[in-house]
């Protein structure tokens, strides 16, 4: 499931967290300044997930004491992101639903639309596609009326990915064709890259291999500049599929091995499992059953850990 993370879309930056951590250590801030510091730290801390959770939980605790719904929502949203990224999906949903209730109670329409994307993303990872579609639809309806173009484009893109996983390729393509121009107009390169790659995935399913390869290669080139390895790993697996369809076993194998290397290097559990499954199937087709079985065991290991 290829999620375009809205946090990433809104400009997550580890360098910001690193500079703000110094201010946090000094512990001189109070009130709104302290809230804002914790919100920015929880949002931008990428390298240390546990630290991000710590900031989010401190933000929740202080916001509850002050009865501040804006920062309470932010704390629960980032806490949910932590659980989603670490594969604790039931806890992610529980936390996102708390954030959603805060948004509803405080009549914050935009926040409601944003948290519904996260809820839908989580259901999508769980392959609960009916609930994913339901929450994407709610999110898109809300965000069309808020003027938040990046959030709307992100909801459309991720909903399109759900349609892709359901085999509803025309609906997926319709969503991608709406989200793509929004990302382009906003000058959002990573959003545009995901969009290109996802359209390429549709073309691959439709047997339009040269168009698929062109789109996915362009997407990978952009994403490499941003060191965004999760989608690159997914797209490499799709490229492997394309070459397998063309009976080019060596190229298919090379793309999948590269996908597994990246996924392993960056701890991307879902994609490690998918790449292992792909390698198992490739070696099975080549008649190397020992290697096929070995990769299949690794696939099961990572699938179960999720």
């Amino acid at each position: 499931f290829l999620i375009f993370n809205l946090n990433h879309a809104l400009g997550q930056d580890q360098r910001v967290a690193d500079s703000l951590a110094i201010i946090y250590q000094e512990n001189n801030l109070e009130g709104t300044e302290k809230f804002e510091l914790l919100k920015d730290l929880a949002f931008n801390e990428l390298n240390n997930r546990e630290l991000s959770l710590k900031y989010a939980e401190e933000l929740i605790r202080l916001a509850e004491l002050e009865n501040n719904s804006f920062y309470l929502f932010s704390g629960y949203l980032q806490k949910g992101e932590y659980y989603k990224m670490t594969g604790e999906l039931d806890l992610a949903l529980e936390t996102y639903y708390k954030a959603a209730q805060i948004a509803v109670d405080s009549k914050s329409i935009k926040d409601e639309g944003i948290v519904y994307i996260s809820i839908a993303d989580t259901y999508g990872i769980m392959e609960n596609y009916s609930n994913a579609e339901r929450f994407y639809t709610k999110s898109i309806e809300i965000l069309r009326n808020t003027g938040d173009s990046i959030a709307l484009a992100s909801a459309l893109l991720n909903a399109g990915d759900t349609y892709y996983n359901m085999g509803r390729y025309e609906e997926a393509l319709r969503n991608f064709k709406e989200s793509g121009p929004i990302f382009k107009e906003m000058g959002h390169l990573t959003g545009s890259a995901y969009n290109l790659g996802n359209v390429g995935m549709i073309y691959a399913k439709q047997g339009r291999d040269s168009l698929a390869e062109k789109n996915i290669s362009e997407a990978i080139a952009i994403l490499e500049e941003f060191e965004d390895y999760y989608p690159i790993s997914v797209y490499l697996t799709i490229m492997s599929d394309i070459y397998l369809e063309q009976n080019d076993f060596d190229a298919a194998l090379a793309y999948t091995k590269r996908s597994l290397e990246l996924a392993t290097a960056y701890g991307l559990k879902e994609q490690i499992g998918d790449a292992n499954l792909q390698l198992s199937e490739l070696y099975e087709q080549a008649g190397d059953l020992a290697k096929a079985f070995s990769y299949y065991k690794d696939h099961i290991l990572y699938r179960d850990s999720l």
Side-chain angles (χ1 to χ4, degrees), residues 140 155-157 159-160 163 171-180:
I140 290 164
L156 287 163
L157 181 64
Y163 290 132
E171 287 169 274
L173 199 55
R174 185 190 66 212
N175 270 44
F176 298 151
K177 286 189 172 177
E178 184 177 355
S179 58

Side-chain angles (χ1 to χ4, degrees), residues 179-217:
S179 58
I182 298 172
F183 283 124
K184 190 172 182 181
E185 187 182 337
M186 301 298 293
H188 202 290
L189 284 175
T190 50
S192 295
Y194 272 77
N195 218 87
L196 270 170
N198 285 12
V199 170
M201 293 196 309
I202 301 286
Y203 288 152
K205 286 291 184 185
Q206 294 174 335
R208 300 158 77 181
D209 289 349
S210 59
L211 274 176
E213 191 174 345
K214 178 178 180 292
N215 270 50
I216 292 171
S217 296

Side-chain angles (χ1 to χ4, degrees), residues 240 243 248-258 279 282-283:
S240 170
Y243 280 101
D248 189 338
F249 177 81
D250 290 340
L253 190 64
Y255 274 110
T256 310
K257 283 186 172 179
R258 176 66 179 142
L279 284 168
L282 284 167
Y283 280 115

